[in-house]
Amino acid sequence: MHSSAVFLMEFGAVILGLGLLGRFAGRLQLSPIPLYLLAGLAFGEGGLLPMGASEEFVAMGAEIGVILLLLMLGLEYSASDLVSNLKTQYPAGLVDCALNALPGAAMALLLGWGPVAAVVLAGVTWISSSGVIAKVLGDLGRLGNRETPVILSILVLEDLAMAVYLPIVTALLAGVGWAAGSLTLAIALSVAGLVLFLAVRFGRVISRFVSSDDPEKLLLVVLGLTVLVAGIAQQLQVSAAVGAFLVGIALSGEAAEGAHALLSPLRDLFAGVFFVFFGLHTDPSSIPPVLLPALALAVVTTVTKIATGYWAAKRAGIRVKGRWRAGGTLVARGEFSIVIAGLAVTAGIEPRLGPLATAYVLILVVLGPLTARYTETLATRLTERRRKPATPAASQAEPATPHESVDGAETIGR
């Protein structure tokens, strides 16, 4: 009875704390992710007030959080959108992977962590935070800008790549051989391909079967189906997150819209629990030794993400200012970096990987909104300074074109 009371008090304190931290982050117009991670550090081993009785329940809540994060991500895209983006934007996806995954892999090898940790850290530095970036675009009023489809296309390709990357990481962390690992990857690719095919051909039929006018029935069917498929995927060593992502892709129309509205509060709750759980498993005293590598990695991958966005926007015919905005917006890392690092922490391959990932995400989830807001301004000022001695008139404002507002923001329909 005593342990039950302690559990309720601890878990209640965690949920209340998440709500207060989220409210505080909202007032600062920041993502709550760094505050959730800091809360986990405070309540974890070596923190200010270690948690004990409710940790097992928090671990289960964290797993549900990952599943809901990927399900909601899948609901954002239709199968036809994914196929279209894959056909037209794959060069940008390849450049994104090369420029941003390689620094993470190189850092892990330089630190002597081995090839498996290198693959994991490559994923941590590669994937941008869709959640943070979407919020930043809305807050800055850039959803109608001409560079925004380029940004979203890169995010879609990164998310689709997760369906291949996560099974590879899961197999490597499980220590299976090349034959078993190849079989796992083949299963993952086959399942992903089959789901995309069924979603394109029979998406309406699937959505009609799931859809219901009763919110309670819709919630139960979608949530039950997602958890069931995630469990089957994990049993096949494909990754529960990939299973949830594919369920989201398979749903479309009214079913997807209804499920999105119903599951958003649950996603936010359990995603917050997930970030706290990751922090719980990171000893705060282990962060200072890896702070310099994390900072160096943050600086390098900030530059490479800006370069990625600039190149992709240039390829799409966006003007110079829009290219800088695209690059600066892609800098933020968040939920997916922590999901990937969390797999490695659970497997116990390298004790310093979790602290480094925590410090890295804390830096870039705060820096990302700042680069989104100021990269274009800073680049414009530096360019004007270089041109000023040769052409004094260069500092004058560019004349607006039919598709460009006075402040240089290319827009659609304005």
Short mmCIF file of all heavy atoms in Angstrom, two decimals, residues 4 63 70 139 149 234 238 250 267-268 305 308 338 351 363 366 374 391:
data_model
loop_
_atom_site.label_atom_id
_atom_site.label_comp_id
_atom_site.label_asym_id
_atom_site.label_seq_id
_atom_site.Cartn_x
_atom_site.Cartn_y
_atom_site.Cartn_z
N SER A 4 2.42 1.78 -3.39
CA SER A 4 1.41 2.27 -4.32
C SER A 4 1.21 3.77 -4.14
O SER A 4 1.09 4.52 -5.12
CB SER A 4 0.09 1.53 -4.10
OG SER A 4 -0.93 2.08 -4.91
N GLU A 63 7.86 4.17 -23.90
CA GLU A 63 7.74 3.34 -25.10
C GLU A 63 6.48 3.70 -25.88
O GLU A 63 6.49 3.80 -27.11
CB GLU A 63 7.72 1.86 -24.72
CG GLU A 63 7.90 0.94 -25.90
CD GLU A 63 8.32 -0.46 -25.50
OE1 GLU A 63 8.62 -0.67 -24.31
OE2 GLU A 63 8.34 -1.33 -26.37
N LEU A 70 5.69 8.46 -33.69
CA LEU A 70 5.83 7.97 -35.07
C LEU A 70 4.48 7.79 -35.74
O LEU A 70 4.35 8.02 -36.95
CB LEU A 70 6.62 6.66 -35.07
CG LEU A 70 8.14 6.77 -35.18
CD1 LEU A 70 8.56 7.32 -36.53
CD2 LEU A 70 8.73 7.63 -34.08
N ASP A 139 5.18 29.77 -36.00
CA ASP A 139 5.41 30.96 -35.17
C ASP A 139 5.96 32.13 -35.99
O ASP A 139 5.64 33.29 -35.71
CB ASP A 139 6.39 30.63 -34.04
CG ASP A 139 5.78 29.69 -33.01
OD1 ASP A 139 4.54 29.54 -33.00
OD2 ASP A 139 6.54 29.10 -32.22
N PRO A 149 7.98 24.33 -48.86
CA PRO A 149 7.86 22.97 -49.42
C PRO A 149 9.19 22.24 -49.52
O PRO A 149 9.23 21.01 -49.38
CB PRO A 149 7.26 23.24 -50.82
CG PRO A 149 6.51 24.52 -50.67
CD PRO A 149 7.33 25.34 -49.73
N GLN A 234 8.12 -5.20 -33.49
CA GLN A 234 9.22 -5.39 -32.55
C GLN A 234 9.56 -6.87 -32.39
O GLN A 234 10.73 -7.23 -32.24
CB GLN A 234 8.84 -4.79 -31.20
CG GLN A 234 10.00 -4.76 -30.20
CD GLN A 234 9.77 -3.75 -29.10
OE1 GLN A 234 9.41 -2.61 -29.36
NE2 GLN A 234 9.99 -4.17 -27.88
N VAL A 238 11.98 -5.51 -36.29
CA VAL A 238 11.93 -4.45 -37.28
C VAL A 238 11.96 -3.09 -36.61
O VAL A 238 12.51 -2.14 -37.13
CB VAL A 238 10.67 -4.59 -38.17
CG1 VAL A 238 10.49 -3.38 -39.07
CG2 VAL A 238 10.76 -5.85 -39.01
N ALA A 250 -0.83 4.46 -43.62
CA ALA A 250 -1.94 3.71 -44.22
C ALA A 250 -3.28 4.41 -44.04
O ALA A 250 -4.21 4.19 -44.83
CB ALA A 250 -2.00 2.31 -43.62
N ARG A 267 -0.30 12.03 -27.44
CA ARG A 267 1.07 12.09 -27.96
C ARG A 267 1.91 13.06 -27.14
O ARG A 267 3.04 12.75 -26.75
CB ARG A 267 1.01 12.52 -29.43
CG ARG A 267 2.34 12.55 -30.19
CD ARG A 267 3.07 13.89 -30.11
NE ARG A 267 2.22 15.02 -30.28
CZ ARG A 267 1.94 15.57 -31.47
NH1 ARG A 267 2.44 15.09 -32.56
NH2 ARG A 267 1.16 16.67 -31.53
N ASP A 268 1.36 14.24 -26.88
CA ASP A 268 2.11 15.24 -26.12
C ASP A 268 2.42 14.75 -24.71
O ASP A 268 3.52 14.97 -24.20
CB ASP A 268 1.31 16.54 -26.05
CG ASP A 268 1.15 17.20 -27.42
OD1 ASP A 268 1.96 16.88 -28.31
OD2 ASP A 268 0.22 18.00 -27.59
N LYS A 305 23.76 21.51 -41.91
CA LYS A 305 22.31 21.59 -42.14
C LYS A 305 21.95 22.85 -42.93
O LYS A 305 21.08 22.82 -43.81
CB LYS A 305 21.55 21.58 -40.82
CG LYS A 305 21.19 20.20 -40.31
CD LYS A 305 20.18 19.49 -41.19
CE LYS A 305 19.84 18.12 -40.60
NZ LYS A 305 18.92 17.35 -41.46
N THR A 308 22.81 22.19 -46.40
CA THR A 308 21.82 21.28 -47.01
C THR A 308 20.60 22.05 -47.48
O THR A 308 20.14 21.90 -48.62
CB THR A 308 21.39 20.21 -45.98
OG1 THR A 308 22.51 19.43 -45.60
CG2 THR A 308 20.31 19.31 -46.57
N ILE A 338 16.74 11.74 -29.96
CA ILE A 338 16.64 11.10 -28.65
C ILE A 338 16.11 9.67 -28.79
O ILE A 338 16.54 8.76 -28.05
CB ILE A 338 15.74 11.93 -27.72
CG1 ILE A 338 16.37 13.30 -27.47
CG2 ILE A 338 15.52 11.21 -26.39
CD1 ILE A 338 17.71 13.25 -26.78
N PRO A 351 28.42 3.86 -22.78
CA PRO A 351 27.82 4.67 -21.71
C PRO A 351 27.87 6.17 -21.96
O PRO A 351 27.04 6.91 -21.43
CB PRO A 351 28.63 4.27 -20.48
CG PRO A 351 29.91 3.68 -21.00
CD PRO A 351 29.55 3.05 -22.30
N ILE A 363 21.61 21.60 -26.96
CA ILE A 363 22.21 22.75 -27.65
C ILE A 363 21.40 23.13 -28.89
O ILE A 363 21.02 24.28 -29.08
CB ILE A 363 23.67 22.44 -28.04
CG1 ILE A 363 24.54 22.29 -26.78
CG2 ILE A 363 24.24 23.56 -28.92
CD1 ILE A 363 25.92 21.73 -27.06
N VAL A 366 17.63 24.41 -28.71
CA VAL A 366 17.56 25.83 -28.34
C VAL A 366 18.09 26.70 -29.47
O VAL A 366 17.52 27.75 -29.80
CB VAL A 366 18.37 26.08 -27.04
CG1 VAL A 366 18.45 27.57 -26.74
CG2 VAL A 366 17.73 25.34 -25.87
N TYR A 374 17.29 34.07 -37.59
CA TYR A 374 18.33 35.07 -37.85
C TYR A 374 19.35 34.70 -38.92
O TYR A 374 20.18 35.54 -39.27
CB TYR A 374 19.08 35.38 -36.54
CG TYR A 374 18.19 35.97 -35.48
CD1 TYR A 374 17.93 35.28 -34.30
CD2 TYR A 374 17.60 37.22 -35.65
CE1 TYR A 374 17.11 35.81 -33.31
CE2 TYR A 374 16.79 37.77 -34.67
CZ TYR A 374 16.54 37.06 -33.51
OH TYR A 374 15.73 37.59 -32.55
N THR A 391 30.84 48.39 -54.29
CA THR A 391 29.61 49.00 -54.82
C THR A 391 28.79 49.54 -53.66
O THR A 391 28.06 48.80 -53.02
CB THR A 391 28.79 47.94 -55.59
OG1 THR A 391 28.55 46.83 -54.73
CG2 THR A 391 29.52 47.47 -56.83
#
